[in-house]
Amino acid sequence: MLDKQSHLPIYVQIEERLKSQIKSGAFKSGDPVPSERELSETYEVSRMTVRQAIMNLVSEGLLYREKGKGTFVSQEKIEQPLQGLTSFTEDMRSRGMQPDNKLIGFHKIKPDADIADKLKLSETDDIYRVKRIRYADQKPMAIETTYIPVKLLPELNEESVKGSFYTYIQEKLKLTISHASQSIEALLAEPEEAKLLNIQEPSAVLHIERLSYLSNNSPFEVVHSTYRADRYKFRSEISR
Ligand code: 16G
């Protein structure tokens, strides 16, 4: 039962109960949680109090609502370490998930000033712009637009990016990927992104920009990625 004398508000205690039931596996992802009426009867509290707890868990991403159907337990987020320069394919395989790719754009274009600067090119040089949807276990996770200098990887073609781009660089071209810098920012999904990622609007997404280098210090990719914020969280180890 809940502790009505506690300094912890009742709705927070209900949140804690539901969280521990999710953690223990009593409620699994995709399971419906009991209705507001059932919860208010179980805990002998008002429906308003229960609603507050549910709303907080929905905004934390632990639960999601489906119109006319009810409230369900979300899938656990993929926790991505911020150390290590890994590829999407490697990341998904190391979690026992099946990576997949849908190539939705492959063009040779001229870079804008920002991309030219990052790739150490002039605006008259050519770059490839590769747009892919990345899937894990058949679910869309991210949209990636990769800008690659043509003079560095002249033979790149659609086949080279239908599988793992990093495998192509390392195994086919025998080049060494060495380091990268990366930034992450929270945005709202654009309508087209929401459609491709199969998420509702408005939804938060994580926008990541990565600039990666080969071991000879040549920048070989600028990548703009849009990750589903309901499926991803990033972790870094820090010390002092
Ligand atoms: C990751 C990288 C991306 C890289 C891709 C290669 C981030 C934010 N981005 O998605 O920069 O191009 O992996 O993946 O992590 P692939 O080898 O599976 O094609």
Side-chain angles (χ1 to χ4, degrees):
M1 268 293 108
L2 302 174
D3 178 0
K4 295 193 175 161
Q5 312 310 322
S6 162
H7 65 283
L8 265 188
I10 298 293
Y11 69 87
V12 175
Q13 294 184 45
I14 298 176
E15 276 176 55
E16 297 304 326
R17 291 291 168 95
L18 288 169
K19 277 186 188 169
S20 68
Q21 284 169 306
I22 294 171
K23 210 164 175 197
S24 72
F27 294 138
K28 298 195 177 48
S29 72
D31 282 354
V33 289
S35 67
E36 281 177 13
R37 185 181 52 74
E38 287 167 314
L39 289 170
S40 70
E41 282 168 9
T42 309
Y43 293 122
E44 296 173 345
V45 295
S46 75
R47 282 175 73 155
M48 279 275 283
T49 305
V50 168
R51 191 167 306 147
Q52 182 67 52
I54 303 269
M55 261 165 38
N56 290 350
L57 294 174
V58 168
S59 52
E60 271 182 57
L62 261 93
L63 300 179
Y64 65 94
R65 287 182 195 275
E66 277 199 15
K67 267 206 191 107
K69 289 194 183 155
T71 308
F72 301 85
V73 179
S74 307
Q75 259 188 299
E76 220 187 309
K77 288 189 183 180
I78 292 177
E79 193 171 283
Q80 176 76 36
L82 284 171
Q83 290 89 346
L85 180 45
T86 51
S87 74
F88 184 86
T89 304
E90 289 164 340
D91 287 340
M92 293 310 122
R93 290 212 174 117
S94 70
R95 292 190 167 81
M97 297 175 101
Q98 172 67 39
D100 226 329
N101 244 343
K102 186 168 172 195
L103 184 62
I104 54 171
F106 186 96
H107 296 100
K108 203 189 260 188
I109 58 164
K110 302 285 177 204
D112 66 21
D114 176 60
I115 291 183
D117 182 51
K118 290 186 169 129
L119 291 175
K120 297 191 190 140
L121 298 173
S122 83
E123 284 175 52
T124 55
D125 284 320
D126 286 325
I127 55 168
Y128 293 114
R129 184 185 59 205
V130 178
K131 197 163 174 185
R132 303 187 290 175
I133 308 177
R134 316 297 316 249
Y135 296 82
D137 288 345
Q138 274 130 47
K139 300 257 166 56
M141 290 289 150
I143 306 164
E144 273 181 1
T145 308
T146 311
Y147 302 94
I148 304 157
V150 171
K151 63 182 181 195
L152 192 67
L153 304 180
E155 284 171 13
L156 190 87
N157 58 36
E158 298 193 9
E159 284 311 308
S160 354
V161 286
K162 277 189 182 156
S164 164
F165 176 46
Y166 280 13
T167 301
Y168 168 80
I169 294 180
Q170 297 182 148
E171 285 170 23
K172 191 93 199 269
L173 305 180
K174 310 279 182 221
L175 298 169
T176 307
I177 297 169
S178 125
H179 59 285
S181 66
Q182 190 166 289
S183 65
I184 305 177
E185 85 187 288
L187 296 174
L188 285 178
E190 300 285 339
E192 195 214 344
E193 293 173 332
K195 221 186 209 156
L196 294 175
L197 291 174
N198 204 9
I199 50 179
Q200 285 173 352
E201 273 187 81
S203 281
V205 286
L206 296 162
H207 187 261
I208 305 181
E209 186 174 317
R210 185 186 276 192
L211 171 60
S212 320
Y213 298 83
L214 299 174
S215 53
N216 63 5
N217 259 339
S218 308
F220 72 92
E221 64 166 6
V222 167
V223 189
H224 293 168
S225 322
T226 304
Y227 279 78
R228 289 176 58 152
D230 62 332
R231 300 291 291 111
Y232 259 87
K233 64 178 169 190
F234 292 87
R235 168 177 293 274
S236 57
E237 301 302 329
I238 43 182
S239 54
R240 170 175 151 98

